[in-house]
Amino acid sequence: MTKNLSEKIISSHLIEGQMDPGEQIGLSIDHTLTQDSTGTLAYLEFESMGVSKVKTKLSLSFVDHNMLQNDFRNADDHKYLQAVAAKYGIVFSRPGNGICHQLYLERFAKPGFTLLGSDSHTPTAGGMGMISIGTGGLDVAAAMAGEAFFLEMPAIMGVKLTGHLSPFVSAKDVILSILKKLSVKGGVNKVLEYFGQGVETLSVPERGTITNMGTETGATTSIFPSDDVTKAFLKSQEREKDWLELKSDNNASYSELIELNLLEIEPQLALPHSPDKVELVKDFDGTPIDQVCIGSCTNSSLRDLKLIANLLRGKKVNDHVSLTISPGSRQVLENLASSGDLLDIIKAGARVIENGCGPCIGIGQAPTTDAISLRTFNRNFKGRSGTQSAKIYLVSPETAVASAINGKITDPRKLGSYPNISSSEKIIINDNMFIFPHKNSLNKEIIRGPNIQPLPNFPPLPEILLGEVLLKTGDNISTDDILPGGSQIMSLRSNIPEISKFVFQYVDSSFPKRALDKGGGFIIGGENYGQGSSREHAALAPKYLGVKAIIAKSFARIHLANLVNFGILPLNFVDKQDYNRIKQGDFLNIDIKSVKDVVSLTNISKKEMIQVAFRLSNREKDMIKVGGKLAAIQAKQANY
Ligand code: MIC
Ligand code: SF4
């Protein structure tokens, strides 16, 4: 039987289940990655599983998100992460080394492998022919303990690329065009698998830009074949031995097919406040801007930054624009420095900031009030930049530079001749900022600062859920809405009682107090509830405040899994119109005694009954019965 590429890798890692879309499958995981802001919790969870050393082929812990070190909290977290890595045999990437996805692609990604990461942009490694999936920290901790990763078998959507990109049009414009077609929920429970002649015209970093931002369609992951372009990239990283040719069989089938002629793509931009509000740059040409930020795991490769340097050479950043550049890795920075490209960037007036996530998650560089900020990032949710009134547009590096020079949104095709950037030339490789585990460091003592608080324990859910609707939201509520980023709040990621005070901070700041005062209750959501990041804190903190169930029209994949892991029931309206029959303040009763697929919800305030679907696998039902995934794994490990 012919197989597409995704099916080939999935079948070679299948531990449980059938590869029929919608069925639960269990996959074996080769590599895991965590980053600091999800990692602290993931490692607290891992520690409580009683395993002496990670059981994966390779596990990595990166510090890239919150590195401001405003006070002791942040620095203590880094110390804790380093100590855990040494003790359990995990590679540690030191603060300042770069962004996890960029570093992983450069130094560790391997065609044909599986990767599970506690960050939603883990699919970046799909640019290297991997099945790489973002999920909550608890799932990653379980994979480190040798457990299979369970998920719904995704449908495999084929994306056929033909032609080649025109000058000043790049990978970001490709993925923005796809987002325009699919929207922020069009990829849910799907893999976007790229194939066709156009693939060979894209370098690995460009493929990484596309697979990275496939996350914004809600997709489980995205994948490119591993071909001669992949081989050349691996060779430039002195890792040619990791190469393996991988592609789908001839005549392999896909559940859906979309086609894109790269030649027809023009520069695109996503308007505030959603990555799928995509339009053509030329239609906004001339709009004055205040800030340009280049970087993030989407667009911070050596290819991107060399291009930026070339375009900035001999030019000056507009007097009314602040241009920041955050390189994706120390390798990128070192190579820019040695080739002289960094000088072009500095001379033009760009502000070079630390290799890391930085402004992408509201850590520094918040725009001015009402500002228009152009960013090469992947998310532009309201307030994520740190300024509620700012308007963030997502653009390619080419559009970002052209606009920074002109002080207004500018179609980059106006810039003249397009520099030719090779991504496979000889580069400097330096792994000094990775600390590789050593047998002498295993079992060393773990240092914990006062901000590292133990995980709260939750009892199993009662059979009757009673309480008030604490909040009713609209569609596409993101995890940034549920629990915002920014350095202040993110430095509380290892302290659930403290971070829970910020739940729905900018949606309704009275939420935490009301939830506690009422002894918990329910949330009503629209479509795609919980889109965006993998932060399990967006489930764990509401759980701490007593949220028992979320009743929504639909859920985003990672958040749904996080809710189940921590024992908050995700319930779907059977008839989506019923969303209109519940309002904030209504008192509800949900009887889950006989865990059937459909249960009745009684709206006591309105004396009405509504049908809600309880779509959980038997494994998930068992997990909830014993008090969540952690309790289930602890019980299993204790029996070994
Ligand atoms: C993000 O881009 O929102 C983050 C910050 O990387 C998150 C992870 C987190 O919240 O720590 C993600 O994408 O998963
Ligand atoms: Fe970091 Fe932004 Fe990428 Fe998230 S999206 S991993 S915050 S750079």
Side-chain angles (χ1 to χ4, degrees):
M1 216 185 89
T2 59
K3 285 199 183 94
N4 55 46
L5 176 54
S6 310
E7 288 166 341
K8 285 186 184 181
I9 304 179
I10 292 174
S11 64
S12 65
H13 290 81
L14 195 65
I15 289 186
E16 232 181 279
Q18 301 286 330
M19 289 199 308
D20 298 327
E23 289 298 309
Q24 282 279 314
I25 54 167
L27 291 183
S28 67
I29 296 299
D30 298 316
H31 290 179
T32 62
L33 72 75
T34 57
Q35 39 86 347
D36 50 302
S37 59
T38 55
T40 44
L41 208 51
Y43 292 113
L44 285 168
E45 288 155 355
F46 178 75
E47 282 190 275
S48 76
M49 290 175 189
V51 179
S52 59
K53 190 172 177 294
V54 288
K55 296 188 175 167
T56 47
K57 293 193 177 99
L58 176 70
S59 286
L60 299 126
S61 170
F62 296 87
V63 177
D64 54 359
H65 276 62
N66 196 2
M67 299 187 292
L68 267 192
Q69 302 180 198
N70 282 337
D71 61 23
F72 68 91
R73 289 182 182 83
N74 204 201
D76 282 1
D77 278 356
H78 301 167
K79 196 101 198 146
Y80 166 74
L81 292 169
Q82 184 166 346
V84 170
K87 176 164 177 182
Y88 293 103
I90 297 162
V91 177
F92 183 68
S93 172
R94 302 184 63 194
N97 195 22
I99 307 175
C100 54
H101 308 303
Q102 173 65 26
L103 288 165
Y104 182 79
L105 197 64
E106 289 170 356
R107 305 303 301 143
F108 304 99
K110 247 179 149 164
F113 270 44
T114 52
L115 165 72
L116 198 65
S118 61
D119 190 279
S120 66
H121 290 103
T122 303
T124 313
M128 185 77 88
M130 297 183 65
I131 288 288
S132 48
I133 302 177
T135 186
L138 183 49
D139 289 322
V140 176
M144 289 190 284
E147 297 285 323
F149 172 60
F150 287 89
L151 75 161
E152 180 173 324
M153 173 67 198
I156 317 295
M157 176 191 266
V159 187
K160 184 172 180 187
L161 301 180
T162 55
H164 58 83
L165 291 169
S166 310
F168 291 102
V169 179
S170 65
K172 183 61 151 274
D173 302 306
V174 176
I175 189 62
L176 286 173
S177 308
I178 292 176
L179 266 154
K180 186 174 178 125
K181 274 186 206 285
L182 295 184
S183 88
V184 288
K185 54 185 170 61
V188 175
N189 291 329
K190 292 178 189 163
V191 175
L192 309 189
E193 179 173 318
Y194 293 84
F195 71 103
Q197 159 276 323
V199 163
E200 70 201 39
T201 69
L202 298 169
S203 65
V204 168
E206 288 173 300
R207 295 174 186 185
T209 296
I210 295 172
T211 52
N212 171 285
M213 221 177 150
T215 294
E216 272 52 67
T217 69
T220 304
T221 190
S222 303
I223 187 168
F224 273 83
S226 167
D227 55 10
D228 286 344
V229 176
T230 322
K231 190 178 184 178
F233 179 81
L234 282 169
K235 190 167 177 216
S236 75
Q237 294 287 335
E238 295 171 9
R239 295 205 291 126
E240 206 178 340
K241 63 171 185 0
D242 288 342
W243 185 70
L244 174 73
E245 186 177 20
L246 281 175
K247 58 180 180 197
S248 60
D249 291 331
N250 290 336
N251 303 323
S253 62
Y254 293 101
S255 64
E256 281 168 82
L257 197 65
I258 55 176
E259 273 194 61
L260 231 64
N261 181 349
L262 300 176
L263 269 166
E264 285 169 7
I265 298 178
E266 294 191 69
Q268 315 273 326
L269 86 189
L271 303 179
H273 298 288
S274 182
D276 61 357
K277 286 181 77 179
V278 176
E279 299 293 343
L280 293 175
V281 171
K282 66 180 183 204
D283 293 340
F284 291 82
D285 199 286
T287 310
I289 59 167
D290 305 281
Q291 186 190 47
V292 174
C293 299
I294 295 176
S296 92
C297 54
T298 322
N299 279 117
S300 59
S301 64
L302 187 57
R303 178 257 168 218
D304 285 342
L305 268 59
K306 272 179 121 26
L307 179 111
I308 305 287
N310 259 274
L311 296 176
L312 283 176
R313 186 166 301 145
K315 305 264 173 40
K316 176 179 174 296
V317 174
N318 184 279
D319 288 349
H320 301 286
V321 175
S322 160
L323 170 66
T324 69
I325 297 187
S326 26
S329 71
R330 199 154 275 257
Q331 182 186 96
V332 171
L333 186 60
E334 243 180 85
N335 281 284
L336 288 175
S338 95
S339 61
D341 288 306
L342 187 60
L343 199 59
D344 293 321
I345 291 176
I346 295 171
K347 272 184 169 167
R351 300 166 65 183
V352 181
I353 52 180
E354 191 165 18
N355 314 317
C357 301
C360 177
I361 186 59
I363 296 180
Q365 311 305 325
T368 47
T369 307
D370 298 330
I372 291 192
S373 173
L374 261 55
R375 298 174 165 216
T376 65
F377 306 166
N378 47 37
R379 292 186 172 140
N380 58 347
F381 303 141
K382 189 169 187 296
R384 181 173 160 103
S385 65
T387 302
Q388 289 296 317
S389 66
K391 295 173 199 67
I392 311 298
Y393 292 64
L394 304 176
V395 295
S396 70
E398 289 82 347
T399 302
V401 180
S403 309
I405 295 169
N406 283 346
K408 50 194 177 194
I409 295 179
T410 302
D411 189 324
R413 290 171 294 191
K414 291 182 177 169
L415 280 181
S417 62
Y418 194 56
N420 184 15
I421 308 293
S422 155
S423 68
S424 52
E425 66 195 26
K426 181 95 194 93
I427 53 167
I428 307 166
I429 313 276
N430 173 358
D431 287 335
N432 278 349
M433 295 282 278
F434 290 107
I435 301 179
F436 292 90
H438 187 272
K439 56 178 183 321
N440 296 342
S441 62
L442 295 175
N443 290 322
K444 280 253 169 74
E445 194 210 342
I446 296 202
I447 306 124
R448 278 167 234 271
N451 188 42
I452 299 174
Q453 288 297 312
L455 290 169
N457 269 331
F458 301 117
L461 278 177
E463 291 182 333
I464 307 238
L465 308 181
L466 263 181
E468 196 178 302
V469 174
L470 299 165
L471 189 72
K472 182 170 178 180
T473 74
D475 291 345
N476 296 322
I477 280 291
S478 73
T479 48
D480 281 300
D481 294 319
I482 303 170
L483 198 55
S487 67
Q488 302 293 343
I489 302 181
M490 284 173 90
S491 62
L492 300 170
R493 288 284 183 98
S494 49
N495 189 339
I496 299 300
E498 278 306 307
I499 206 167
S500 69
K501 295 178 183 159
F502 297 91
V503 173
F504 287 117
Q505 165 91 344
Y506 300 111
V507 175
D508 178 348
S509 59
S510 68
F511 182 88
K513 184 166 182 319
R514 285 194 295 111
L516 285 176
D517 289 351
K518 307 247 161 157
F522 302 99
I523 295 171
I524 304 296
E527 296 282 5
N528 202 24
Y529 182 88
Q531 71 160 331
S533 112
S534 66
R535 65 192 71 148
E536 54 193 346
H537 308 73
L540 195 44
K543 175 78 183 177
Y544 183 82
L545 298 174
V547 174
K548 297 166 186 160
I550 297 177
I551 307 120
K553 290 184 187 170
S554 65
F555 291 90
R557 177 187 63 88
I558 305 180
H559 190 59
L560 179 76
N562 285 337
L563 291 173
V564 174
N565 282 352
F566 293 105
I568 296 187
L569 272 188
L571 296 167
N572 288 75
F573 288 105
V574 172
D575 176 356
K576 290 184 179 176
Q577 294 302 323
D578 286 344
Y579 167 86
N580 302 319
R581 293 169 61 198
I582 306 185
K583 62 173 187 13
Q584 194 163 315
D586 284 356
F587 205 78
L588 310 182
N589 173 330
I590 310 174
D591 182 346
I592 57 165
K593 234 185 294 159
S594 56
V595 182
K596 288 181 294 194
D597 286 346
V598 172
V599 289
S600 295
L601 170 162
T602 313
N603 187 337
I604 299 176
S605 311
K606 290 207 172 130
K607 302 194 179 55
E608 283 179 355
M609 297 266 271
I610 286 174
Q611 301 292 90
V612 287
F614 195 96
R615 291 191 196 124
L616 297 183
S617 65
N618 289 337
R619 190 182 47 82
E620 289 166 329
K621 285 175 193 159
D622 290 345
M623 237 157 58
I624 287 197
K625 271 188 213 143
V626 297
K629 182 165 181 150
L630 194 55
I633 295 174
Q634 282 164 345
K636 189 171 162 197
Q637 296 288 349
N639 289 333
Y640 277 153

